[in-house]
Amino acid sequence: MADIEHLRAGVRASLPELADFTDQDLATKIVDAWALSLSQTEFERIEDMPGSANPDSPALREGTQATHIRGVGLLTVALGEELQRVLGPLGLDRDVLYAAGVLHDLGKPFENSPANQARWKEEPGKAGFPAIRHSVYGVHIALTVGLPEELAHVCGTHSGEGQLVYRSTLNSIVHHADHAFWAAAEKGGLLDMDPADLWTKTG
């Protein structure tokens, strides 16, 4: 297992926009969060995970999970800034928008871990499958490193779990950025799948 400083350096390389943060304390906590999340698994870099929405979903033909994480971070910034330009202030600055976007899948190393996947598949009746989804595990990691509650909320409810709560403004933006990323990748033929197969299953 890699030491924590090696993991932190890898996170900074994966998320180069962190170097431009005005709030470097927040940037450091993002690095710490991803390093801690990776340290609990076989992965050493965000890039070590396939670029897929879930472990059993079609992956990007080119790119990794880091492509998705960065993509959602940048989409969240663009969407949030343009909404504020049109609607007026929503209380969201660039650092917070990017942070929410790149933290939303913070728990994916745990859910994507080959060891965890194998254990859950072997006896799904014991702890469930998966035992803990990435959204829930991401909340644990976010709060452990001292990230604010509004960012932990994004980790925990950007996905299906968010149907059970009232999503924050920030979370709503991330939720749509996340879905836009995968929809564009699918419709653009960038996923390792034949679009005709999807039509056969749903049409």
Side-chain angles (χ1 to χ4, degrees), residues 5 34 100 142 151 199:
E5 287 306 322
W34 269 108
L151 292 175
W199 174 253

Side-chain angles (χ1 to χ4, degrees), residues 22 35 40 47 65 70 99 108 115 120 122 126 129 134 137 146 151 178 192:
T22 300
Q40 306 302 301
E47 288 89 340
Q65 196 60 224
R70 268 190 87 206
K108 270 193 176 174
W120 298 330
E122 184 176 342
K126 182 175 182 181
F129 181 72
H134 69 273
Y137 194 76
L151 292 175
D178 187 20
D192 192 13

